[in-house]
Amino acid sequence: MIGDQIMSQIRHSQFLMQDPLVTDYIQQLGHKLVAANPDALGRLFQFFVIQEDSINAFALPGGYIGIHSGLVTASKSESELASVLGHEVAHVTQRHLARRLEQQDKISIPTILGVIASVIVATQDPEAGMAGVAATQAAANQSIITHTRDNEKEADRIGITMLSSAGFDVRAAADFFETMQQVSRYTLKPPEILLTHPLSRNRIAAARERAELYPHIDHKNSVDYHLVKARIKSIELANNNDSFRVLQRKHQAQQLNSIEERYLYAELLKKNGKTQEAIEVLQSLYNIYPDNHLLLFSLAETHRANNSGAAVLPELQKQLEKTPGSTKLILATAQVYLDNKQAEDAEKLLLRYADVNRYNPNYLYLLAETQAQAGHTPEMHETTGQYLLLLGDLRTAKKHFELALNGTSEDPYAQTRIQARLDDVNFRIREFLAENSRRSRFSLN
């Protein structure tokens, strides 16, 4: 319940990165590690990215694991990035945060929420964050979110085992520690990740020693890793004309050698309205890396901005036949269908995998849009209710479920399903009101 409440706040904030390519990549990378840890199987994990150029990662109650976009761009290899995610997964499987919450029996849930939320806010505005900590009496309760050295040692051990089992380079954990150590040498304030994940002197040495116990794996960075790093950089440099001009000159001199630079240039071209030039760069990359879904999504995205989405539809359909469950391809194809006034085709495609993507706000938002355009109003209200529920907007979600319940649907199970959703929302509203009442009594005492 605590994790759900915090995640609702994050989804409703401006900090959550909504980019479907970045989110999908982090989810896939995270679940590759989860699949390599027997203790993680059977648990629900959700990975997400906070739009923030600092270096940080954290695990919330309920298996929610967040990393800052700055950590992705600061990583020097995919194995380094995986080592951080694996470390956070280990914190969850070993119940480090949950055990400390259980020990805080005299602290109310609102106080716990305040302490954890303060850490998240502090990454955006240190002064506001510290004020939040003080306001929630967190001077004494900082231990709720600060991992002990024993916790870190255990998470390191399990994380390295996970890295090896998932096929990553086990030396990457120590490599990342050294990166953090170097960053902290030249700044007055250490990276945020070190505030809640203490780095002792012998931790790097211990990670190196443990890595020697596993077979050496020379993991090659995936194409998607390089593309996602460039995608995040393109968001950060969207208004940086100097960076764009540098890349433009290098392109003209045929000196854009790396895939990261070429993709970054294409994204900045698109953001500067030069969609036809962006299509040419992306198409050349796709010719080199055929079947790459991330590049194909970007190509479709740019074609749509160029009002030429129909040109890429045959390739999207071809790739969907090969990998029908690809969320990236489903979203891209549905969007092109909508542009072509094929709302029912878009709805049919999205509904096929709606259950798998029930925690994906982008997916639900697009599904609601397609249902509205297809004239399926009750279904649109039900999907909108699910979307708002993810954002924590209980009262508006309730209104949409009530509208859906009063509508007429061709689905024979619709009434039963919607009533169950409405009952769940009403239960959550009652719980929310009861907790607020408890919080008021707690504050008075």
Side-chain angles (χ1 to χ4, degrees):
M1 186 179 73
I2 294 170
D4 288 346
Q5 287 190 38
I6 298 172
M7 199 61 217
S8 292
Q9 293 173 22
I10 292 174
R11 288 194 187 105
H12 209 60
S13 76
Q14 67 207 35
F15 308 134
L16 181 66
M17 183 170 273
Q18 301 281 7
D19 190 290
L21 297 185
V22 176
T23 301
D24 193 61
Y25 170 76
I26 291 299
Q27 286 276 19
Q28 288 189 26
L29 184 62
H31 283 108
K32 186 174 181 179
L33 293 159
V34 168
N37 182 349
D39 291 336
L41 299 178
R43 294 173 181 262
L44 182 64
F45 283 87
Q46 289 189 55
F47 300 86
F48 60 95
V49 181
I50 295 292
Q51 179 70 54
E52 165 62 37
D53 61 7
S54 60
I55 301 171
N56 201 5
F58 51 91
L60 301 175
Y64 294 106
I65 292 176
I67 63 171
H68 287 196
S69 57
L71 190 149
V72 180
T73 54
S75 65
K76 296 177 181 176
S77 70
E78 192 167 35
S79 291
E80 277 195 16
L81 180 57
S83 75
V84 177
L85 290 176
H87 183 91
E88 297 304 327
V89 169
H91 278 311
V92 174
T93 60
Q94 302 314 112
R95 304 187 70 250
H96 291 155
L97 180 59
R99 277 186 278 173
R100 281 197 298 286
L101 293 180
E102 288 167 356
Q103 293 166 4
Q104 307 287 336
D105 59 329
K106 294 184 179 179
I107 299 179
S108 71
I109 286 177
T111 301
I112 294 169
L113 287 171
V115 172
I116 298 175
S118 295
V119 176
I120 298 172
V121 172
T123 65
Q124 312 299 324
D125 182 349
E127 292 184 8
M130 289 303 100
V133 170
T136 55
Q137 304 172 345
N141 301 326
Q142 182 69 21
S143 61
I144 292 175
I145 43 77
T146 302
H147 293 293
T148 67
R149 291 187 177 183
D150 285 342
N151 288 161
E152 292 300 276
K153 184 177 178 181
E154 186 176 34
D156 287 344
R157 175 177 59 80
I158 293 170
I160 288 173
T161 302
M162 245 187 294
L163 276 184
S164 179
S165 299
F168 293 100
D169 183 357
V170 291
R171 298 168 300 179
D175 291 343
F176 182 75
F177 293 155
E178 288 180 344
T179 298
M180 294 301 92
Q181 197 174 58
Q182 289 169 6
V183 170
S184 61
R185 282 177 186 164
Y186 303 107
T187 59
L188 295 174
K189 180 186 173 186
E192 281 82 356
I193 196 169
L194 298 186
L195 299 178
T196 52
H197 297 71
L199 182 62
S200 59
R201 287 185 192 176
N202 65 353
R203 195 170 162 199
I204 296 175
R208 290 271 182 230
E209 290 175 9
R210 180 160 292 279
E212 293 299 320
L213 301 176
Y214 294 87
H216 173 66
I217 299 174
D218 187 17
H219 176 78
K220 292 184 179 180
N221 296 329
S222 69
V223 172
D224 283 6
Y225 168 72
H226 292 294
L227 294 174
V228 165
K229 283 185 71 174
R231 180 96 170 176
I232 292 172
K233 287 177 184 176
S234 76
I235 296 170
E236 296 170 353
L237 298 175
N239 299 314
N240 190 321
N241 293 327
D242 291 338
S243 296
F244 176 64
R245 281 193 288 268
V246 168
L247 288 169
Q248 198 170 38
R249 285 195 293 269
K250 291 183 73 174
H251 173 70
Q252 291 166 350
Q254 296 185 338
Q255 294 176 345
L256 288 178
N257 299 319
S258 72
I259 185 174
E260 280 190 36
E261 278 193 325
R262 293 176 70 183
Y263 182 73
L264 174 59
Y265 179 55
E267 285 297 302
L268 292 180
L269 279 170
K270 182 182 69 179
K271 287 177 170 59
N272 280 276
K274 301 178 184 296
T275 53
Q276 189 56 50
E277 292 178 53
I279 288 170
E280 291 170 8
V281 176
L282 288 169
Q283 187 64 59
S284 67
L285 281 173
Y286 189 65
N287 292 340
I288 299 170
Y289 303 100
D291 303 340
N292 183 280
H293 294 178
L294 199 153
L295 280 173
L296 183 53
F297 181 99
S298 300
L299 194 55
E301 191 177 51
T302 313
H303 267 292
R304 291 182 62 237
N306 193 53
N307 296 318
S308 56
V312 78
L313 187 56
E315 183 63 20
L316 286 168
Q317 292 170 329
K318 172 187 166 184
Q319 293 298 329
L320 262 178
E321 287 181 10
K322 294 181 181 179
T323 51
S326 170
T327 300
K328 291 188 287 289
L329 294 185
I330 292 168
L331 289 172
T333 307
Q335 287 167 335
V336 172
Y337 277 146
L338 276 185
D339 292 343
N340 292 345
K341 309 300 181 184
Q342 297 172 260
E344 292 200 358
D345 288 332
E347 182 186 16
K348 183 179 178 181
L349 175 61
L350 289 166
L351 281 175
R352 197 177 304 156
Y353 298 96
D355 189 57
V356 179
N357 290 279
R358 62 187 179 278
Y359 298 114
N360 185 334
N362 288 330
Y363 199 97
L364 293 177
Y365 186 88
L366 183 60
L367 176 56
E369 185 181 350
T370 64
Q371 289 168 331
Q373 289 195 27
H376 298 154
T377 306
E379 289 80 2
M380 179 271 291
H381 283 302
E382 182 183 359
T383 303
T384 303
Q386 290 176 263
Y387 169 76
L388 292 168
L389 202 55
L390 281 181
L391 301 186
D393 190 347
L394 299 178
R395 294 189 183 281
T396 314
K398 177 182 176 181
K399 290 179 182 177
H400 278 278
F401 286 139
E402 288 172 342
L403 288 169
L405 193 65
N406 294 328
T408 303
S409 172
E410 296 178 2
D411 184 349
Y413 304 104
Q415 294 285 310
T416 304
R417 185 180 62 249
I418 297 167
Q419 186 61 59
R421 296 191 194 283
L422 191 54
D423 292 343
D424 177 54
V425 172
N426 285 327
F427 173 77
R428 294 193 195 193
I429 291 174
R430 287 195 297 272
E431 285 289 300
F432 178 78
L433 293 173
E435 187 56 48
N436 274 353
S437 177
R438 286 193 291 270
R439 181 177 183 178
S440 298
R441 291 198 298 271
F442 180 83
S443 300
L444 291 173
N445 292 334

